[in-house]
Amino acid sequence: YNQANNINNMENSIYQYAIGELLDGRYFYIPSYQRGYRWTVKQVGDLLRDLLCFTNDFANEGKEKKQDQFYCLQPIIARSITDKEKLKFIFKDKYNDDIKERGVWEIIDGQQRLTTIYLLYKYLMDQKGWDAETLKEEEDGKDLYHICYATRDGSAKFLESMSMRTIKDSSEDDFKENVDFFHMANAFKYISEWIKTDGKAINIRYQLGGSLDNIRTSFFKLLNGMSDTKGGSVQVLWYEIAESKEKNNIKEFQKINTGKIRLTDAELIKGLFLLKKNFTAGDKYIKQSELALEWEFIENTLHANNFWYFLQKKGFDLPNRIDFLFNLIYKKNVLKEVPEEEWDNILKVVDEKLMDTRQSEIFRFYYNRFEGKIGEALQLEVAEAWSEVMELFRTLDDWFCSPSTYNFIGLLSQCGEDLCRLILHFDYMPELSSRADFERYLKERISYHLRGIKIDKDKKLILNTYKEHDNIYKLLLTLNIHLLNEQNQKLESDSDVYKFPFDVLSAQNWDIEHVDSFHTNALKKEKDKIEWIKTAMEDRSEELTKEERKQIQQNLEEKAYDIAIDILKKNAKEVEADEEIKNSIGNLTLLDAATNRMYGNSLFCTKRHIIIERIKQGVFVPIATQYIFAKFFDQKGTNRSLWTEEDMNAYHRYVYDVIINYVSNEEDEL
């Protein structure tokens, strides 16, 4: 699950730079294993739109941006090149000491973004009529960076000479001869066109007028902005691989670019925690190797699906699951001084912010925490930050080891509960609080998620199968959780046997199914109807009369399959209940998709046979579903092959008796 070993090497470094801080004439070297510039007009347009909207956000209100407000590009992965012989090999007869002083970096990932920013900046300079010397004079020594290529020297020259005049004086045929020239020229032309059309429209929408010069000035100021510029800046996370790791560059590039994988917050944070400078004060607070081992232990534990899926909703996953812990810690930090009644609204805002992966918000939270500290002060801060991670992990592990707590939290996760709420409540509980106190709070949160369920005066749950799918799903899941916790409590056992398999829930695609088929004629294909009839005849062989057998056989010969099906259903007494009862909670259960496909609209006796066989084969079947097909709710001990209206009502009453433990009945409503 790590991109590569060297991406988290302890000798690597992570920085956060404004583009304005890269405008010092440095050189970016694109090695031969990379293709040339390939961004399309859509990608260029998306970047331009984001930048202009960012810089216009506060202009409407006449406010200056705060120091910490900036547009963040995706990370750049680079390696510094300082070896003189290597530099001479790259630059050949053009090499001089000035190049080495300016600095040379091999770009492993980020060429497309750096080139697009270069083209935009080059266009803005062209419109001002500025050359490199004028830029230095007017913008406090700013010097546009250089991009050079291992195998495409012509591309570097083409970039350096880029201007609207060279574009106009050249024909399309000139660019078609070189695919790099074509894409670079196309992007440069599109920048000009975009500003005249989309850019103008955006500024008018922001009520900033349609002046093209104003648009270009906005871009120029933004790109020149430094980290402390109040007017905002464009910044980038700069991941610098140690120069000694050169042999892994090609492998790293392939891993990053295969499937367009990008560095996650966790990978960046790991590099930040394990920086060599964090441990120069010795082992007083934490060892570098100890932190690395604990990190791997946490990741390995989280990658066990039985642990992960009691924390996460069905279908949710992360490439680096430890990201989840950092997410929780970040939210805890945001909410630590906020009253609980305000948590929901703030969490919505935070989640929206975290959805923008370009911002790497959580990485920056830690970056800002460590920035400016050195020596023992830095090591202490790193140790304290890591202690928070370990404390959170131990809390989750304690919850995992307690079946009842595990079951409640897993249920809440499936209901969409933000675990940050549970973590904060747990942390704020008095020291003498017991596990039972915490579980009472968990039941309150379950009650919150079941608040949409209503009860009539006859103590029946009122649910519309088609309109309230989520409520029914939560209710049935709660039923299964309750049964497991009840068994665990009666036997006073903390065995894993009583833990609900949330990983299986995620893998098997469970859903709500009718116990007795609601649709009386849902079979469409003739072969399916014939198969249904044959199976039903075998299951009802002892109950069918000679006359019924004769009628069924005659209808089969005449292809009157629906009539034959009705005869079998009447024999099984599966047509007695009316539509309302068949569509109530007393006729619904949870079942995995594979089992449901196997029994479809079969008779109850056939379904029961299939369920029993699935259990024998080791397939997990929810405990409440097992109770249904074992006829546990049948107090009279009637025929186990039937699921009648009486069975549905008995099961409905049982569900009510369970659910009433989690909700309150006020004025006949929950």
Side-chain angles (χ1 to χ4, degrees), residues 321-334:
R321 292 179 175 178
I322 199 171
D323 265 320
F324 177 65
L325 298 192
F326 294 121
N327 185 297
L328 287 175
I329 290 171
Y330 176 82
K331 289 181 177 180
K332 278 180 60 179
N333 187 73
V334 172

Side-chain angles (χ1 to χ4, degrees), residues 161-179:
S161 63
M162 188 75 74
S163 69
M164 290 306 298
R165 174 175 288 184
T166 58
I167 294 296
K168 290 177 181 178
D169 291 345
S170 304
S171 66
E172 289 190 10
D173 291 337
D174 295 332
F175 303 141
K176 288 180 180 177
E177 293 177 2
N178 186 306
V179 67

Side-chain angles (χ1 to χ4, degrees), residues 16-211:
Q16 186 166 319
Y17 291 135
I19 292 298
E21 293 164 343
L22 301 180
L23 299 177
D24 55 6
R26 66 181 65 196
Y27 288 81
F28 296 139
Y29 171 66
I30 311 302
S32 58
Y33 55 78
Q34 293 198 36
R35 65 177 183 171
Y37 182 68
R38 294 294 182 272
W39 262 23
T40 65
V41 294
K42 182 184 184 305
Q43 291 166 303
V44 174
D46 287 346
L47 177 61
L48 294 174
R49 183 192 64 246
D50 288 351
L51 293 178
L52 186 59
C53 289
F54 169 81
T55 197
N56 283 347
D57 274 338
F58 291 92
N60 235 358
E61 302 174 16
K63 297 179 180 178
E64 283 190 320
K65 285 182 168 58
K66 296 178 182 178
Q67 180 177 334
D68 63 349
Q69 290 175 319
F70 55 86
Y71 180 89
C72 192
L73 297 172
Q74 288 189 7
I76 302 291
I77 303 178
R79 182 182 66 86
S80 177
I81 304 174
T82 59
D83 181 74
K84 192 171 183 178
E85 294 304 314
K86 175 70 173 176
L87 292 173
K88 284 182 178 180
F89 176 79
I90 292 172
F91 292 95
K92 299 180 175 57
D93 58 345
K94 297 176 184 177
Y95 174 77
N96 55 51
D97 290 340
D98 182 60
I99 289 177
K100 186 174 182 179
E101 289 177 9
R102 287 171 180 265
V104 181
W105 281 265
E106 178 179 341
I107 300 303
I108 297 168
D109 186 51
Q111 175 202 171
Q112 309 295 323
R113 297 185 289 282
L114 287 172
T115 304
T116 304
I117 293 294
Y118 182 98
L119 290 169
L120 174 58
Y121 204 88
K122 195 73 172 164
Y123 165 80
L124 296 172
M125 287 178 60
D126 180 60
Q127 293 300 298
K128 286 178 173 289
W130 288 4
D131 57 15
E133 290 303 317
T134 308
L135 177 65
K136 288 180 183 179
E137 293 174 4
E138 297 289 336
E139 291 294 334
D140 193 25
K142 290 283 194 301
D143 191 356
L144 183 56
Y145 53 78
H146 306 274
I147 302 177
C148 52
Y149 302 82
T151 57
R152 297 185 293 277
D153 190 51
S155 295
K157 292 179 182 178
F158 187 75
L159 273 176
E160 294 280 353
S161 63
M162 188 75 74
S163 69
M164 290 306 298
R165 174 175 288 184
T166 58
I167 294 296
K168 290 177 181 178
D169 291 345
S170 304
S171 66
E172 289 190 10
D173 291 337
D174 295 332
F175 303 141
K176 288 180 180 177
E177 293 177 2
N178 186 306
V179 67
D180 290 355
F181 293 3
F182 172 79
H183 286 288
M184 290 173 180
N186 205 33
F188 193 83
K189 285 190 294 184
Y190 184 70
I191 289 170
S192 176
E193 295 168 5
W194 188 93
I195 287 175
K196 294 174 183 176
T197 54
D198 294 50
K200 183 175 181 178
I202 288 172
N203 262 28
I204 291 173
R205 189 168 70 245
Y206 274 87
Q207 299 181 348
L208 296 172
S211 168

Side-chain angles (χ1 to χ4, degrees), residues 351-364:
D351 283 334
E352 289 178 5
K353 194 173 185 179
L354 296 179
M355 284 293 289
D356 187 354
T357 56
R358 293 170 307 186
Q359 298 297 327
S360 295
E361 185 71 23
I362 299 175
F363 164 77
R364 289 193 291 106

